[in-house]
Amino acid sequence: MKNVLLCTDHVSAVYAVPDPVAENLEEYGVEFCENWLWSSPDAARYRTRDGLCYEVSDFIDYLNRYVFPEEPSYLVQDISHLNPKKSLPQEYRELPRFLF
């Protein structure tokens, strides 16, 4: 497991994810956002009349339920109170990151 930084407009958090996810975070994030959410019957609850409605935790649920159920990802630290561009702790500055 490796740590990654996942962000939205309102949430920034460090999660431990399986190594292949950390090493290819962009690929997994794009697959979730651009393919799975729009096409999977299991993702129907995220589709609204206006588009998609989901959180970072939904990406983690997707990884845990459908991609790596044998290696569950988990929250390491919620850092939403910090500005990820300015005030990240040193140990998080070089983490792979994905902005949803």
Side-chain angles (χ1 to χ4, degrees):
M1 302 290 279
K2 293 182 180 173
N3 289 345
V4 298
L5 180 61
L6 302 177
C7 304
T8 67
D9 290 340
H10 307 291
V11 175
S12 295
V14 177
Y15 280 89
V17 299
D19 291 1
V21 176
E23 293 162 5
N24 301 285
L25 186 57
E26 179 95 9
E27 179 182 318
Y28 281 93
V30 168
E31 173 60 27
F32 172 74
C33 294
E34 295 183 9
N35 295 322
W36 188 82
L37 285 172
W38 291 104
S39 63
S40 174
D42 295 322
R45 67 182 177 265
Y46 303 113
R47 295 181 211 119
T48 69
R49 178 174 48 208
D50 299 322
L52 296 172
C53 183
Y54 62 92
E55 301 289 335
V56 169
S57 59
D58 298 318
F59 174 64
I60 296 301
D61 184 57
Y62 157 78
L63 292 175
N64 290 345
R65 292 179 68 185
Y66 303 106
V67 185
F68 288 97
E70 69 287 348
E71 280 187 89
S73 300
Y74 58 89
L75 178 65
V76 173
Q77 184 175 8
D78 183 339
I79 56 171
S80 297
H81 62 286
L82 301 176
N83 179 335
K85 293 181 181 174
K86 294 183 181 177
S87 58
L88 281 178
Q90 183 64 37
E91 69 265 26
Y92 298 150
R93 290 185 185 161
E94 300 301 318
L95 292 180
R97 59 180 72 189
F98 191 80
L99 176 62
F100 290 90

